[in-house]
Amino acid sequence: MFHGTTILCVRRDGKVAIASDGQVSLEKTVMKNTAKKVRKLGEGQVLAGFAGSTADAFTLFERFEGKLKEHQKNMARACVELGKDWRTDRFLRRLEALLIVADREKTFILSGAGDVIEPDYGIAAVGSGGPYAFAAARALMAHTQMSARDVAHQSLTIAGEIDIYTNSHISLEEL
């Protein structure tokens, strides 16, 4: 399990939001409170967030953008091709990170084991606070009419109150 982060993606009513906390921990020490772990890729058409090593995540973001270009912005195909490379490439398979990527239509979680998962419920979460954020988002989606952006923000706030590796400095991107 990756410590030091929570990434959550929520889709509702034609909108998708991806959010992260800002905490980076090294063992038992908080090293940074304001890290930005979410960003827009693919000329602003894809949202992405990472849990794990920052250097590894940037390498994966670059590779993913390359796959998006190679496959004419077909995100599902780019995910599968990155997943295959990540699993089989001698250099890439050593990278320790999880990615969540989303466009206006689909969301995927990618791992170094070659997993390309399209989650249920319009919600994806990874990182040490992921289960808390996921549970909060499920409850908010079922019992409120909050927007995707508001569900993501409130769910991360809740996760930050429970998980010691997640803080309340939230970065959020939306399509």
Short mmCIF file of all heavy atoms in Angstrom, two decimals, residues 136-167:
data_model
loop_
_atom_site.label_atom_id
_atom_site.label_comp_id
_atom_site.label_asym_id
_atom_site.label_seq_id
_atom_site.Cartn_x
_atom_site.Cartn_y
_atom_site.Cartn_z
N ALA A 136 -16.92 7.25 1.46
CA ALA A 136 -17.60 8.54 1.62
C ALA A 136 -18.27 8.96 0.31
O ALA A 136 -19.42 9.43 0.30
CB ALA A 136 -16.60 9.60 2.08
N ALA A 137 -17.57 8.78 -0.81
CA ALA A 137 -18.14 9.15 -2.11
C ALA A 137 -19.36 8.31 -2.44
O ALA A 137 -20.36 8.84 -2.94
CB ALA A 137 -17.07 9.01 -3.21
N ARG A 138 -19.30 7.02 -2.17
CA ARG A 138 -20.48 6.17 -2.41
C ARG A 138 -21.68 6.66 -1.62
O ARG A 138 -22.79 6.73 -2.15
CB ARG A 138 -20.19 4.71 -2.01
CG ARG A 138 -19.27 4.00 -2.93
CD ARG A 138 -19.80 2.86 -3.76
NE ARG A 138 -21.11 2.32 -3.64
CZ ARG A 138 -21.39 1.06 -3.30
NH1 ARG A 138 -20.42 0.23 -3.02
NH2 ARG A 138 -22.62 0.65 -3.27
N ALA A 139 -21.47 6.99 -0.36
CA ALA A 139 -22.58 7.46 0.48
C ALA A 139 -23.11 8.80 -0.03
O ALA A 139 -24.34 8.98 -0.13
CB ALA A 139 -22.12 7.58 1.93
N LEU A 140 -22.23 9.71 -0.36
CA LEU A 140 -22.67 11.02 -0.85
C LEU A 140 -23.39 10.90 -2.18
O LEU A 140 -24.38 11.61 -2.42
CB LEU A 140 -21.49 11.98 -0.95
CG LEU A 140 -20.89 12.41 0.40
CD1 LEU A 140 -19.58 13.16 0.19
CD2 LEU A 140 -21.88 13.25 1.18
N MET A 141 -22.92 10.03 -3.05
CA MET A 141 -23.59 9.85 -4.35
C MET A 141 -24.99 9.25 -4.16
O MET A 141 -25.92 9.61 -4.87
CB MET A 141 -22.75 8.93 -5.25
CG MET A 141 -21.43 9.51 -5.67
SD MET A 141 -21.55 10.74 -6.95
CE MET A 141 -21.75 9.68 -8.36
N ALA A 142 -25.13 8.36 -3.19
CA ALA A 142 -26.42 7.69 -2.98
C ALA A 142 -27.44 8.57 -2.26
O ALA A 142 -28.63 8.41 -2.45
CB ALA A 142 -26.21 6.40 -2.19
N HIS A 143 -26.95 9.50 -1.44
CA HIS A 143 -27.87 10.21 -0.55
C HIS A 143 -27.89 11.72 -0.71
O HIS A 143 -28.52 12.42 0.09
CB HIS A 143 -27.55 9.85 0.90
CG HIS A 143 -27.72 8.40 1.17
ND1 HIS A 143 -28.93 7.76 1.23
CD2 HIS A 143 -26.79 7.42 1.33
CE1 HIS A 143 -28.77 6.48 1.45
NE2 HIS A 143 -27.47 6.23 1.51
N THR A 144 -27.19 12.25 -1.72
CA THR A 144 -27.23 13.70 -1.98
C THR A 144 -27.30 13.93 -3.48
O THR A 144 -27.15 13.01 -4.27
CB THR A 144 -25.96 14.42 -1.43
OG1 THR A 144 -24.85 14.13 -2.29
CG2 THR A 144 -25.66 14.04 0.00
N GLN A 145 -27.50 15.17 -3.83
CA GLN A 145 -27.46 15.58 -5.23
C GLN A 145 -26.22 16.43 -5.50
O GLN A 145 -26.17 17.18 -6.48
CB GLN A 145 -28.73 16.38 -5.58
CG GLN A 145 -30.00 15.54 -5.51
CD GLN A 145 -29.94 14.34 -6.44
OE1 GLN A 145 -29.60 14.46 -7.61
NE2 GLN A 145 -30.24 13.17 -5.91
N MET A 146 -25.21 16.31 -4.67
CA MET A 146 -23.99 17.09 -4.82
C MET A 146 -23.35 16.81 -6.18
O MET A 146 -23.47 15.72 -6.72
CB MET A 146 -22.98 16.73 -3.71
CG MET A 146 -23.43 17.14 -2.32
SD MET A 146 -22.39 16.42 -1.01
CE MET A 146 -20.88 17.33 -1.25
N SER A 147 -22.65 17.81 -6.70
CA SER A 147 -21.94 17.66 -7.97
C SER A 147 -20.74 16.73 -7.80
O SER A 147 -20.29 16.47 -6.67
CB SER A 147 -21.44 19.02 -8.45
OG SER A 147 -20.43 19.51 -7.58
N ALA A 148 -20.19 16.25 -8.91
CA ALA A 148 -18.99 15.41 -8.86
C ALA A 148 -17.87 16.14 -8.13
O ALA A 148 -17.18 15.55 -7.29
CB ALA A 148 -18.55 15.03 -10.28
N ARG A 149 -17.69 17.40 -8.42
CA ARG A 149 -16.65 18.21 -7.79
C ARG A 149 -16.85 18.25 -6.27
O ARG A 149 -15.91 18.05 -5.51
CB ARG A 149 -16.67 19.62 -8.38
CG ARG A 149 -15.67 20.56 -7.78
CD ARG A 149 -15.80 21.97 -8.39
NE ARG A 149 -14.63 22.72 -8.11
CZ ARG A 149 -13.53 22.74 -8.84
NH1 ARG A 149 -13.46 22.02 -9.94
NH2 ARG A 149 -12.49 23.46 -8.48
N ASP A 150 -18.06 18.52 -5.83
CA ASP A 150 -18.34 18.63 -4.40
C ASP A 150 -18.22 17.29 -3.69
O ASP A 150 -17.73 17.22 -2.56
CB ASP A 150 -19.73 19.23 -4.17
CG ASP A 150 -19.80 20.70 -4.57
OD1 ASP A 150 -18.74 21.35 -4.72
OD2 ASP A 150 -20.93 21.20 -4.76
N VAL A 151 -18.67 16.21 -4.34
CA VAL A 151 -18.53 14.87 -3.76
C VAL A 151 -17.05 14.55 -3.58
O VAL A 151 -16.63 14.07 -2.52
CB VAL A 151 -19.22 13.80 -4.61
CG1 VAL A 151 -18.83 12.39 -4.16
CG2 VAL A 151 -20.74 13.96 -4.55
N ALA A 152 -16.24 14.82 -4.61
CA ALA A 152 -14.80 14.53 -4.52
C ALA A 152 -14.16 15.33 -3.38
O ALA A 152 -13.40 14.78 -2.57
CB ALA A 152 -14.12 14.84 -5.85
N HIS A 153 -14.47 16.60 -3.31
CA HIS A 153 -13.87 17.46 -2.27
C HIS A 153 -14.29 17.01 -0.87
O HIS A 153 -13.44 16.84 0.02
CB HIS A 153 -14.26 18.92 -2.50
CG HIS A 153 -13.47 19.87 -1.68
ND1 HIS A 153 -13.78 20.16 -0.37
CD2 HIS A 153 -12.35 20.58 -1.97
CE1 HIS A 153 -12.91 21.02 0.10
NE2 HIS A 153 -12.02 21.29 -0.84
N GLN A 154 -15.57 16.79 -0.66
CA GLN A 154 -16.05 16.40 0.66
C GLN A 154 -15.54 15.01 1.06
O GLN A 154 -15.18 14.79 2.21
CB GLN A 154 -17.58 16.41 0.70
CG GLN A 154 -18.17 16.15 2.06
CD GLN A 154 -17.73 17.20 3.09
OE1 GLN A 154 -17.63 18.38 2.81
NE2 GLN A 154 -17.46 16.76 4.31
N SER A 155 -15.48 14.09 0.11
CA SER A 155 -14.99 12.74 0.40
C SER A 155 -13.52 12.75 0.81
O SER A 155 -13.11 12.04 1.72
CB SER A 155 -15.20 11.83 -0.81
OG SER A 155 -16.57 11.72 -1.10
N LEU A 156 -12.72 13.58 0.14
CA LEU A 156 -11.31 13.69 0.52
C LEU A 156 -11.15 14.35 1.88
O LEU A 156 -10.27 13.99 2.65
CB LEU A 156 -10.53 14.46 -0.54
CG LEU A 156 -9.86 13.57 -1.56
CD1 LEU A 156 -9.25 14.37 -2.68
CD2 LEU A 156 -8.81 12.70 -0.94
N THR A 157 -12.01 15.30 2.17
CA THR A 157 -11.99 15.93 3.49
C THR A 157 -12.24 14.88 4.57
O THR A 157 -11.55 14.83 5.59
CB THR A 157 -13.03 17.07 3.57
OG1 THR A 157 -12.71 18.05 2.58
CG2 THR A 157 -13.05 17.70 4.95
N ILE A 158 -13.23 14.02 4.34
CA ILE A 158 -13.55 12.95 5.29
C ILE A 158 -12.36 11.98 5.41
O ILE A 158 -11.96 11.61 6.52
CB ILE A 158 -14.83 12.22 4.87
CG1 ILE A 158 -16.04 13.15 5.05
CG2 ILE A 158 -15.02 10.92 5.65
CD1 ILE A 158 -17.32 12.67 4.38
N ALA A 159 -11.80 11.57 4.29
CA ALA A 159 -10.64 10.67 4.32
C ALA A 159 -9.49 11.29 5.10
O ALA A 159 -8.80 10.60 5.87
CB ALA A 159 -10.19 10.32 2.90
N GLY A 160 -9.28 12.60 4.95
CA GLY A 160 -8.21 13.29 5.66
C GLY A 160 -8.42 13.33 7.16
O GLY A 160 -7.45 13.46 7.93
N GLU A 161 -9.66 13.20 7.60
CA GLU A 161 -9.96 13.18 9.03
C GLU A 161 -9.74 11.79 9.63
O GLU A 161 -9.71 11.64 10.84
CB GLU A 161 -11.40 13.63 9.27
CG GLU A 161 -11.61 15.10 8.94
CD GLU A 161 -13.07 15.51 8.96
OE1 GLU A 161 -13.96 14.65 9.14
OE2 GLU A 161 -13.33 16.72 8.78
N ILE A 162 -9.61 10.77 8.77
CA ILE A 162 -9.46 9.39 9.23
C ILE A 162 -8.05 8.85 9.01
O ILE A 162 -7.47 8.25 9.91
CB ILE A 162 -10.48 8.48 8.50
CG1 ILE A 162 -11.91 8.94 8.79
CG2 ILE A 162 -10.28 7.02 8.90
CD1 ILE A 162 -12.96 8.30 7.89
N ASP A 163 -7.51 9.05 7.82
CA ASP A 163 -6.22 8.47 7.44
C ASP A 163 -5.07 9.40 7.81
O ASP A 163 -5.06 10.56 7.40
CB ASP A 163 -6.22 8.21 5.93
CG ASP A 163 -4.91 7.63 5.44
OD1 ASP A 163 -4.37 6.74 6.12
OD2 ASP A 163 -4.43 8.06 4.37
N ILE A 164 -4.09 8.89 8.55
CA ILE A 164 -2.98 9.74 8.99
C ILE A 164 -2.05 10.13 7.86
O ILE A 164 -1.25 11.05 8.01
CB ILE A 164 -2.17 9.08 10.14
CG1 ILE A 164 -1.50 7.79 9.65
CG2 ILE A 164 -3.04 8.85 11.35
CD1 ILE A 164 -0.49 7.22 10.63
N TYR A 165 -2.14 9.48 6.70
CA TYR A 165 -1.28 9.80 5.56
C TYR A 165 -2.00 10.70 4.54
O TYR A 165 -1.52 10.89 3.44
CB TYR A 165 -0.81 8.52 4.86
CG TYR A 165 0.10 7.70 5.74
CD1 TYR A 165 -0.36 6.54 6.35
CD2 TYR A 165 1.41 8.10 5.97
CE1 TYR A 165 0.48 5.78 7.15
CE2 TYR A 165 2.25 7.36 6.78
CZ TYR A 165 1.78 6.20 7.37
OH TYR A 165 2.60 5.47 8.17
N THR A 166 -3.16 11.24 4.91
CA THR A 166 -3.95 12.10 4.04
C THR A 166 -4.25 13.40 4.77
O THR A 166 -4.67 13.37 5.92
CB THR A 166 -5.28 11.41 3.65
OG1 THR A 166 -4.98 10.17 2.99
CG2 THR A 166 -6.13 12.27 2.75
N ASN A 167 -4.02 14.53 4.11
CA ASN A 167 -4.33 15.80 4.75
C ASN A 167 -5.50 16.50 4.05
O ASN A 167 -6.11 15.95 3.14
CB ASN A 167 -3.09 16.70 4.84
CG ASN A 167 -2.63 17.25 3.52
OD1 ASN A 167 -3.29 17.16 2.50
ND2 ASN A 167 -1.44 17.85 3.52
#
